[in-house]
């Protein structure tokens, strides 16, 4: 299965950053260390508590922003809300990520959000969600346009199916590490790697 990183949910499960002191870009974690941490978490199936966050107040489903018509809220996190939308000209479904109220009022957060979009657009790996465009709301808050993927986040899968078989867990770990390696080649550290930020989907051929 294709296994891209998809940072959109608000649930807390585990933080690879804290587990490996991985917030310092000068420090690197070996594949063995990554495997140990993620395998332990997957096998234990530790489920955290949802974090309550408020929705974006300046947007609503059904409205059109530029060439995108908002259709369905997909998830939300500490800084952003992700909404499914339709590209009106291409008739292609995409996902739009908006800054939450409060975060969007800070120039620092806006600049950080735009840097995230600019760097993400350069990444070329099937295990990383692609960013194709950016825009600004009338309020001045930025948003980014990402590919829309169907499937389920790993946290939900673990909650439904229980601990994964070791071969399957290892397969998922390797795919996630391939995506991280691409990000690291651009000196980008994820810093919030957890099951709710990993999305399990399939390719068009069913694999």
């Amino acid at each position: 299965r294709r296994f891209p990183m998809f940072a959109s949910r608000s649930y807390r499960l585990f933080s690879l950053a804290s587990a490996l002191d991985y917030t310092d870009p000068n420090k690197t974690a070996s594949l063995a260390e990554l495997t140990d941490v993620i395998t332990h978490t997957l096998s234990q199936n530790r489920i955290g508590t949802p974090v309550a966050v408020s929705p974006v107040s300046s947007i609503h489903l059904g409205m059109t922003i530029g060439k995108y018509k908002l259709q369905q809220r997909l998830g939300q996190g500490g800084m952003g809300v992700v909404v499914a939308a339709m590209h009106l000209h291409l008739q292609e479904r995409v996902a739009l990520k908006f800054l939450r109220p409060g975060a969007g009022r800070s120039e620092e957060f806006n600049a950080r959000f735009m840097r995230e979009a600019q760097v993400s657009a350069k990444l070329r790996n099937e295990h990383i969600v692609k960013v194709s465009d950016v825009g600004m709301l009338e309020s001045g808050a930025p948003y980014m346009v990402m590919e829309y993927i169907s499937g389920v986040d790993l946290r939900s899968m673990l909650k439904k199916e229980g601990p994964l078989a070791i071969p399957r867990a290892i397969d998922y770990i390797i795919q996630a590490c391939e995506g991280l390696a691409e990000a690291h080649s651009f000196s980008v550290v994820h810093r919030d790697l957890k099951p709710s930020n990993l999305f399990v989907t399939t390719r068009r051929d069913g694999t």
Side-chain angles (χ1 to χ4, degrees):
R1 293 183 179 181
R2 184 168 171 241
F3 196 53
M5 290 181 285
F6 188 67
S8 67
R9 309 294 176 139
S10 63
Y11 299 104
R12 295 281 173 184
L13 189 65
F14 77 100
S15 171
L16 192 63
S18 61
L20 297 177
D21 192 20
Y22 201 45
T23 57
D24 185 346
N26 294 319
K27 296 182 180 180
T28 57
S30 68
L31 179 59
E33 289 176 310
L34 289 168
T35 301
D36 287 345
V37 172
I38 302 176
T39 299
H40 176 71
T41 303
L42 294 179
S43 63
Q44 294 298 313
N45 190 21
R46 294 177 291 170
I47 302 300
T49 303
V51 178
V53 293
S54 59
V56 173
S57 57
S58 59
I59 64 173
H60 57 83
L61 300 183
M63 73 181 293
T64 298
I65 298 176
K67 52 198 171 188
Y68 305 102
K69 184 173 183 178
L70 306 187
Q71 296 181 322
Q72 175 188 1
R73 189 169 69 88
L74 300 175
Q76 58 188 28
M79 284 185 59
V81 177
V82 179
V83 179
M86 180 64 67
H87 190 299
L88 296 176
H89 304 311
L90 300 178
Q91 290 298 297
E92 181 77 13
R93 205 172 197 200
V94 296
L96 271 58
K97 182 178 180 180
F98 301 91
L99 278 175
R100 286 181 52 226
R105 288 194 289 266
S106 165
E107 290 299 324
E108 178 184 352
F109 277 115
N110 284 356
R112 177 180 168 186
F113 189 86
M114 292 300 290
R115 286 196 301 270
E116 177 188 344
Q118 291 166 357
V119 172
S120 297
K122 295 178 174 64
L123 302 179
R124 297 288 184 271
N125 186 279
E126 70 168 337
H127 304 303
I128 298 177
V129 174
K130 297 177 178 62
V131 173
S132 60
D133 198 4
V134 294
M136 300 285 285
L137 299 175
E138 292 182 0
S139 64
Y143 65 88
M144 72 175 75
V145 183
M146 308 179 294
E147 68 172 316
Y148 175 85
I149 52 178
S150 59
V152 63
D153 66 87
L154 183 58
R155 180 188 182 278
S156 297
M157 175 179 284
L158 289 172
K159 190 173 182 180
K160 179 180 179 181
E161 300 182 12
L164 302 177
I166 291 178
R168 186 180 178 190
I170 290 175
D171 181 35
Y172 287 173
I173 291 167
I174 291 173
Q175 293 182 54
C177 288
E178 288 177 0
L180 289 172
E182 172 73 6
H184 293 172
S185 71
F186 285 84
S187 300
V188 174
V189 178
H190 192 283
R191 303 210 305 184
D192 196 23
L193 184 62
K194 56 191 178 185
S196 59
N197 281 343
L198 295 169
F199 206 78
V200 184
T201 185
T202 57
R203 301 180 181 90
R204 291 185 178 180
D205 63 4
T207 60

